[in-house]
Amino acid sequence: MPVVFIPPHARRFVNGQKQIEVEGSTVEKLLRNLETEYPGIWDTLCVDDALKPGLAVAVDGNMSNRGLHQAVQTESEVHILPAVGGG
Amino acid sequence: MAKKRVVTTKINGRPVEFLCEPRQTLLEVLRENLDMIGTKEGCSNGNCGACTILIDGKAVDSCLVLAVEAEGMNIETIEGVASADGLHPLQQAFLEEAALQCGICTPGLIMSAKALLAQNPDPTEEEIRFALAGNLCRCTGYDKIVRAVQSAAKMGCASAAK
Amino acid sequence: MATAESDKTGLSSKGKYKVIGTRPIRPDGVDKVTGRARYGADIRLSGMLHGAILRSPYAHARIKSIDTSKAEQLEGVYAVITHKDFPDASDKIAELGEGSVNLKHLSSNVLADDKVLYKGHAVAAVAAETTHLAYEALDLIEVEYEPLTPVLDVRKAMQDDAPILHENQRMEDMSPDATTSDKPTNIYKKFFFEQGDPDAAFEKAHIVVEREFTTATVHQGYIEPHAATAVWSAEGKVTLYTCTQGTFTVRQQVAELLGLPLSYVKVIPTEIGGGFGGKIRVYIDPVAVALARKSGRPVKVVMDRASVFEATGPTPGSWIRMKLGVDAQGKIVAGDTEIAFESGAYPVSPIGAGCMCVFSCYDIPDGRIIGYDVCVNKPHSAAYRAPGSTQVAFATESVVDEICEKLGMDPIEFRLKNASVEGTRRVDGVAYPRIGLVETIEAIRDSEHYQTPLAGPNRGRGVASGYWMNAGLKSSVTATVNGDGKVSLVEGSTDIGGSRASIAMQFAETLGIPMEDVVPAVVDTDSVGYTDVTGGSRVTYATGWAAYEAALDVQRQLCDRAAEFWEVDSSEVTYDKEDAAVKGPDGKSFGFVELAEKVTQASEPVVGRGVSNHNEPGGAFGTHAVDVEVDPETGKVKILRYTAAQDVGTAIHPSYVEGQVQGGVVQGIGWALNEEYFYDEAGVMRNASYLDYRVPTCYDLPMIDPILVEVPNPGHPYGVRGVGEVPIAPPPAAIANAIYQAVGVRMRHLPMSPPHVLHEILKKEG
């Protein structure tokens, strides 16, 4: 099952867990499924069906620019990180 | 506003007469009045050298010269460096050595290097660095620019320039 | 230099590719060495007016009133605008591809709303017949200010009693506490990352070093000032000529700020005279558009140099506390850091990236990173080459050097022992794919430079590593095969340092044709598909990938056309890039040029299309070595020798890859030794000119020796990694470490300019 690394500011919704295994084939599905079990986490990370501004997704170490639509594999690691701008 | 003046010069070998305000710099007149945009403006206070031209063979920041001062002077700009036969050895060397990235400082650097090689056809690295110290480049770290000038000197740039 | 002479003969050093790895002359080169290339300020349109901008003399003040009537009456003035001429911007965040922007902040930054937040903040703008007249009109605009106390230092701005820039700003807490407060604050956001249990790990450490560092605000320093020229059509569409890193991001910002449909804004890129991250956000573009609309004439606005320093994005000044612990064998066991960045007048700064870079070079099992994004009365900070990475590398790599000294361990040996490798998990949680840090450390270790002992008094050698994550993002390319056998390659990435060449080379490689037969054109937003900014070290990687896809598309179309001519099935036809030919059954063959001609005469046009939206994995690393000599009488530091090793994946055009490394190193040297925004107490920058700000000149420097380490990126068809940004990160730390070796003082403030170095030397001597 994919593993979502819970960003520190959202851990209060998941009893302080740092990572959680959850079903889903996209980042959106993972977070929706997390929300069912841990209400509050969706609104902490997302707004208007997208990641909140300033946040980005990394899957298996790669920063993604597909946001919630990024596909994940069964063994994937998903991180929610600050969005980064380059020079 | 002060009255406009007529100024007579030679630019890149041709006689040029222009009308300008006393407050206009030579850089402004070249670019705005004469539409010679090859000479670039980076700071307009003599710091960056992007507007370097040659006046009577000497490298000068054209932003520090008032256009009215150019009366009777012999001016060379980047537009006059290549000839009908092709690029000047310095221009060729800049291309081959990849001595430019964004290219905005390139016209000024070529003019300063041209003045150097006319006076000193075989400069040391130190002499090149000293002669180009008034031309800022923010992209290249200067390494390839110094090599390009060295390479142009080897190609016999000074003789070709005449 | 580490690249072989034979490259110049036209063969790649590895012989793996025909075009990649060679050093052809760039397609835009001749225009740029003859003065024919058109940059931002070189645009001239019929009937064009000239714009000028009135700027705040105060670093912090409330605008009580603006009276533009006298300026409007001046003969030759056609329009005067203030913030009121912009529609009300919503508090919406717009994604700009590379980073995001709050539109309300952007709008207030372009022309101040109710407050000015830094000296030089734009307040009003004029369009007149000449530039001189426009500046005269500025003098006639009457602005009544209520001056407020400015706050200029990041730590002071974080204090409870600090003057507040934005009354409605509340801190967003990303730590597990997730505190909320109703109190106005200059802190926009608190970042937090933690791995393992750093507090427990420090307890067990053999050596712990904890230090504080500060760095001054510095500027990208591109030589070309911002310039924008706008012209409206009768049906309400606007065309904007501008020097930018990203035409599409300018289009988006202008459309949002002026309330225009995106498709009614056409952005035409001029050549661009440097950017380094500073030409992504708009400053004068919306002003030119608004002046042109109001005056009914084309308007050009060109910034002066002082305004570029005072009012466009510098990179943040910073305060950093850095604590590292190692065991007796020299293995890092714990790290703990707090980083505060001056975001400037508005959030956000590159603090998030700083947090992700700070421990990026090391395997730190237990670590904590806390970051603060803090508003101060300075211009809104912007991206600058590996944004955030240089500041934090200065802190980390300096403390690492101190630990090496305490351990009695060679800094190269220490780095090899602790370096991040494939699988290393960064403190922010991400695990690396295949990366090339170790190879860069080994390259420095084995370099002639490092193997040659440094002799002489007051001389020292320093080493440091650095990292940048590199971007992928979106790019589009189209390729039309012409009847003469050449290809027109249309792209949206503005060429800031030779990317026409690096993109064309990947295209040519894919078809097996000479690079000279590819004619690239960087075009406007109506003429090519969406393309993100030239930034994030992404263009050769991502637009190169799009060009590769376009070339594959051309291959497929050529095969289909040949199949028609031969009356065989397409599946029987293949493209042979070795011969640049299409081959069919029974030895049938068309050379590329031959088929191009035939297709043009008797078939549908061949137009290849390529897009990319990939994520560059891993990022890139560099390790640098520097020798310095310090004058103990003056504190002046001379760079004697500099070698920079970097994992570049595959060097497409090695000369321009070397150039990126050399240029980045020299910007890092400038940051290390001289460059700083020098403010007086009123918040006025006292050195807003090149030579007072003091960017490096030719005479300050030796040659910069790049070592290109090629660990092909598994996530790119040709193994490309972004190269532009990494090389700016290591220099300040490497130089600080060298200064310590030379004269025994630890420099913990940037710049390490003569007064600061001399101060430390005198302090040490008592």
Side-chain angles (χ1 to χ4, degrees):
Chain A
M1 236 188 289
V3 180
V4 178
F5 284 64
I6 309 297
H9 68 291
R11 287 179 196 158
R12 65 187 191 279
F13 297 104
V14 296
N15 311 320
Q17 296 176 83
K18 290 185 176 176
Q19 53 199 72
I20 301 177
E21 288 196 355
V22 58
E23 289 285 355
S25 55
T26 64
V27 174
E28 172 160 7
K29 285 177 183 152
L30 298 181
L31 296 183
R32 296 272 185 210
N33 288 342
L34 272 180
E35 173 71 16
T36 341
E37 196 165 347
Y38 304 101
I41 194 162
W42 177 268
D43 286 343
T44 308
L45 302 176
C46 304
V47 63
D48 298 338
D49 290 338
L51 273 179
K52 276 192 176 168
L55 293 179
V57 159
V59 174
D60 299 326
N62 298 340
M63 295 299 282
S64 164
N65 42 50
R66 295 173 196 273
L68 295 180
H69 303 301
Q70 174 65 46
V72 295
Q73 311 301 318
T74 48
E75 300 300 312
S76 285
E77 276 187 24
V78 176
H79 295 267
I80 314 287
L81 294 166
V84 167
Chain B
M1 202 193 303
K3 258 179 79 170
K4 286 188 177 178
R5 310 286 174 88
V6 177
V7 177
T8 308
T9 60
K10 199 187 240 187
I11 302 182
N12 298 329
R14 289 171 185 271
V16 174
E17 199 176 75
F18 58 79
L19 193 64
C20 70
E21 293 176 34
R23 66 180 171 184
Q24 286 186 288
T25 64
L26 185 52
L27 170 63
E28 185 185 340
V29 165
L30 285 171
R31 290 179 54 84
E32 303 295 326
N33 302 30
L34 301 176
D35 210 6
M36 296 175 71
I37 50 102
T39 303
K40 301 302 177 191
E41 176 177 345
C43 68
S44 263
N45 61 4
N47 278 198
C48 79
C51 65
T52 304
I53 58 170
L54 305 189
I55 296 183
D56 298 336
K58 269 190 165 164
V60 171
D61 289 333
S62 60
C63 70
L64 296 183
V65 180
L66 288 171
V68 291
E69 294 180 284
E71 176 65 39
M73 287 177 175
N74 186 11
I75 295 167
E76 291 170 72
T77 71
I78 188 68
E79 285 92 346
V81 174
S83 68
D85 302 333
L87 295 179
H88 186 278
L90 268 167
Q91 292 172 315
Q92 193 61 36
F94 266 63
L95 292 179
E96 284 172 6
E97 297 290 331
L100 60 146
Q101 285 177 32
C102 81
I104 192 89
C105 68
T106 307
L109 272 157
I110 287 176
M111 298 315 288
S112 288
K114 188 164 181 276
L116 166 71
L117 294 185
Q119 284 194 333
N120 180 355
D122 187 23
T124 62
E125 183 188 334
E126 170 97 0
E127 286 166 340
I128 293 171
R129 288 185 180 276
F130 188 77
L132 301 183
N135 292 81
L136 300 179
C137 167
R138 192 59 163 170
C139 294
T140 64
Y142 304 103
D143 184 300
K144 292 185 189 302
I145 291 172
V146 174
R147 289 179 199 276
V149 177
Q150 287 173 329
S151 156
K154 272 196 209 123
M155 283 191 266
C157 176
S159 53
K162 279 167 191 168
Chain C
M1 271 182 286
T3 38
E5 268 306 296
S6 64
D7 287 6
K8 292 183 184 178
T9 62
L11 288 171
S12 159
S13 52
K14 291 188 205 147
K16 194 172 165 191
Y17 299 116
K18 267 163 90 174
V19 181
I20 290 171
T22 64
R23 299 169 185 251
I25 286 175
R26 58 194 280 176
D28 53 335
V30 173
D31 274 357
K32 285 179 176 165
V33 298
T34 54
R36 263 177 265 169
R38 292 205 166 237
Y39 291 81
D42 299 336
I43 298 300
R44 302 189 69 181
L45 303 177
S46 311
M48 186 176 82
L49 302 175
H50 296 263
I53 295 177
L54 181 69
R55 295 179 179 280
S56 167
Y58 296 105
H60 196 190
R62 210 172 296 285
I63 298 174
K64 298 183 79 175
S65 66
I66 305 177
D67 183 354
T68 59
S69 54
K70 285 181 189 156
E72 283 158 19
Q73 283 152 25
L74 185 69
E75 190 161 347
V77 168
Y78 285 78
V80 182
I81 60 166
T82 65
H83 188 82
K84 289 194 172 65
D85 289 270
F86 289 160
D88 268 341
S90 61
D91 227 346
K92 180 179 146 190
I93 308 284
E95 290 295 336
L96 301 181
E98 268 261 287
S100 53
V101 65
N102 177 312
L103 292 169
K104 202 173 180 64
H105 292 160
L106 182 63
S107 177
S108 308
N109 195 36
V110 168
L111 280 175
D113 190 1
D114 55 338
K115 268 177 107 180
V116 288
L117 296 170
Y118 53 95
K119 157 75 164 71
H121 197 156
V123 172
V126 170
E129 271 170 0
T130 69
T131 309
H132 297 287
L133 201 56
Y135 276 91
E136 281 174 25
L138 294 186
D139 290 341
L140 300 175
I141 298 174
E142 290 166 5
V143 185
E144 197 184 341
Y145 294 99
E146 177 195 337
L148 303 168
T149 309
V151 59
L152 297 157
D153 174 82
V154 66
R155 276 165 297 173
K156 285 182 187 158
M158 290 170 75
Q159 287 167 7
D160 277 348
D161 56 350
I164 296 292
L165 276 76
H166 303 284
E167 285 296 333
N168 57 357
Q169 182 166 292
R170 306 291 179 268
M171 188 182 85
E172 186 181 348
D173 185 352
M174 307 283 280
S175 81
D177 303 338
T179 53
T180 54
S181 161
D182 252 352
K183 196 173 150 38
T185 169
N186 292 319
I187 306 173
Y188 174 72
K189 198 183 268 194
K190 177 184 178 181
F191 289 85
F192 183 95
F193 303 95
E194 193 175 69
Q195 170 164 277
D197 186 346
D199 298 321
F202 274 114
E203 291 289 322
K204 289 181 238 154
H206 174 64
I207 296 170
V208 175
V209 174
E210 182 172 13
R211 304 288 180 226
E212 286 185 31
F213 298 84
T214 49
T215 71
T217 307
V218 298
H219 197 271
Q220 296 82 352
Y222 35 81
I223 306 293
E224 180 200 31
H226 300 251
T229 307
V231 56
W232 284 78
S233 71
E235 74 268 32
K237 293 179 182 163
V238 67
T239 298
L240 180 65
Y241 300 78
T242 187
C243 49
T244 176
Q245 290 178 243
T247 49
F248 287 87
T249 183
V250 169
R251 180 179 75 166
Q252 184 187 353
Q253 292 174 81
V254 167
E256 296 269 15
L257 291 187
L258 291 162
L260 301 168
L262 201 62
S263 303
Y264 282 15
V265 181
K266 170 165 139 183
V267 178
I268 303 179
T270 66
E271 294 305 320
I272 169 171
F276 314 108
K279 285 181 181 163
I280 296 173
R281 185 191 302 142
V282 297
Y283 299 96
I284 56 173
D285 303 272
V287 173
V289 170
L291 285 171
R293 180 164 59 184
K294 200 163 183 175
S295 66
R297 299 263 293 264
V299 175
K300 175 160 85 172
V301 180
V302 181
M303 266 193 174
D304 59 78
R305 176 54 52 186
S307 298
V308 173
F309 276 117
E310 291 186 337
T312 69
T315 202
S318 69
W319 169 86
I320 302 165
R321 180 185 60 77
M322 170 60 56
K323 182 180 176 186
L324 286 175
V326 296
D327 66 17
Q329 285 72 49
K331 180 79 190 67
I332 300 178
V333 294
D336 177 27
T337 184
E338 256 183 297
I339 310 160
F341 274 10
E342 292 170 0
S343 157
Y346 302 95
V348 301
S349 79
I351 179 68
C355 289
M356 292 159 77
C357 290
V358 65
F359 289 141
S360 54
C361 293
Y362 299 98
D363 178 13
I364 300 181
D366 295 270
R368 183 187 303 119
I369 302 163
I370 297 173
Y372 296 96
D373 197 18
V374 186
C375 292
V376 297
N377 291 109
K378 295 181 182 179
H380 183 191
S381 67
Y384 176 26
R385 206 167 198 150
S389 189
T390 307
Q391 292 97 323
V392 297
F394 176 53
T396 309
E397 297 292 293
S398 295
V399 168
V400 160
D401 199 65
E402 217 174 311
I403 286 174
C404 290
E405 186 199 5
K406 288 183 196 298
L407 285 165
M409 192 183 270
D410 179 82
I412 292 285
E413 189 191 337
F414 180 88
R415 282 177 175 79
L416 286 172
K417 199 180 181 92
N418 288 287
S420 293
V421 294
E422 184 172 354
T424 298
R425 193 176 289 285
R426 256 181 3 222
V427 173
D428 57 80
V430 172
Y432 286 115
R434 176 76 174 98
I435 51 173
L437 172 59
V438 165
E439 287 82 351
T440 69
I441 301 168
E442 288 170 344
I444 287 295
R445 179 194 64 197
D446 301 339
S447 66
E448 197 263 334
H449 178 172
Y450 203 74
Q451 293 295 328
T452 308
L454 176 65
N458 301 314
R459 291 180 165 193
R461 173 171 294 165
V463 173
S465 297
Y467 170 72
W468 182 248
M469 45 277 266
N470 290 345
L473 301 175
K474 302 180 186 71
S475 287
S476 306
V477 159
T478 56
T480 303
V481 178
N482 299 320
D484 59 0
K486 299 186 197 300
V487 180
S488 301
L489 190 67
V490 173
E491 56 207 43
S493 291
T494 52
D495 183 350
I496 209 161
S499 59
R500 283 181 180 89
S502 68
I503 296 163
M505 288 171 76
Q506 293 177 69
F507 183 86
E509 182 71 44
T510 311
L511 286 172
I513 60 177
M515 183 266 207
E516 291 71 19
D517 285 354
V518 181
V519 183
V522 178
V523 299
D524 64 77
T525 48
D526 284 357
S527 307
V528 68
Y530 182 87
T531 299
D532 276 310
V533 297
T534 297
S537 304
R538 63 172 287 278
V539 169
T540 298
Y541 170 86
T543 312
W545 195 329
Y548 164 80
E549 296 289 349
L552 293 182
D553 196 15
V554 166
Q555 284 188 8
R556 281 189 293 271
Q557 293 179 38
L558 288 175
C559 288
D560 288 348
R561 304 293 190 280
E564 281 173 34
F565 290 130
W566 290 326
E567 298 180 1
V568 300
D569 192 80
S570 291
S571 62
E572 293 181 78
V573 181
T574 55
Y575 190 88
D576 180 347
K577 73 170 219 170
E578 290 310 313
D579 295 347
V582 175
K583 295 193 173 161
D586 312 322
K588 288 188 174 70
S589 173
F590 277 126
F592 184 87
V593 178
E594 185 189 1
L595 185 56
E597 192 183 353
K598 202 170 164 57
V599 160
T600 308
Q601 287 166 354
S603 183
E604 296 86 359
V606 173
V607 181
R609 167 187 168 282
V611 294
S612 69
N613 183 25
H614 304 281
N615 316 309
E616 187 181 339
F621 292 85
T623 300
H624 297 188
V626 61
D627 296 347
V628 304
E629 182 173 307
V630 182
D631 180 345
E633 300 294 320
T634 63
K636 184 171 167 25
V637 177
K638 187 176 170 60
I639 308 289
L640 300 174
R641 186 169 186 184
Y642 205 107
T643 304
Q646 186 171 317
D647 171 20
V648 302
T650 300
I652 300 295
H653 191 308
S655 295
Y656 286 99
V657 174
E658 291 159 6
Q660 286 293 323
V661 174
Q662 292 165 331
V665 164
V666 167
Q667 286 188 316
I669 290 173
W671 195 339
L673 294 181
N674 296 303
E675 295 178 35
E676 69 177 308
Y677 274 46
F678 193 87
Y679 282 95
D680 65 17
E681 282 181 2
V684 176
M685 183 183 180
R686 301 307 294 264
N687 61 339
S689 69
Y690 268 127
L691 291 185
D692 291 331
Y693 171 78
R694 196 58 175 89
V695 302
T697 74
C698 197
Y699 198 58
D700 296 324
L701 298 159
M703 293 294 187
I704 307 296
D705 296 327
I707 301 176
L708 306 185
V709 178
E710 296 188 284
V711 180
N713 180 355
H716 186 277
Y718 292 119
V720 171
R721 280 189 202 282
V723 296
E725 291 172 281
V726 185
I728 199 174
I735 292 168
N737 297 340
I739 291 171
Y740 178 75
Q741 294 300 323
V743 290
V745 298
R746 288 276 176 199
M747 298 304 301
R748 301 197 180 98
H749 170 74
L750 297 183
M752 300 177 282
S753 53
H756 290 294
V757 175
L758 186 60
H759 178 80
E760 293 301 323
I761 291 172
L762 294 174
K763 206 165 81 183
K764 180 184 154 234
E765 288 170 355

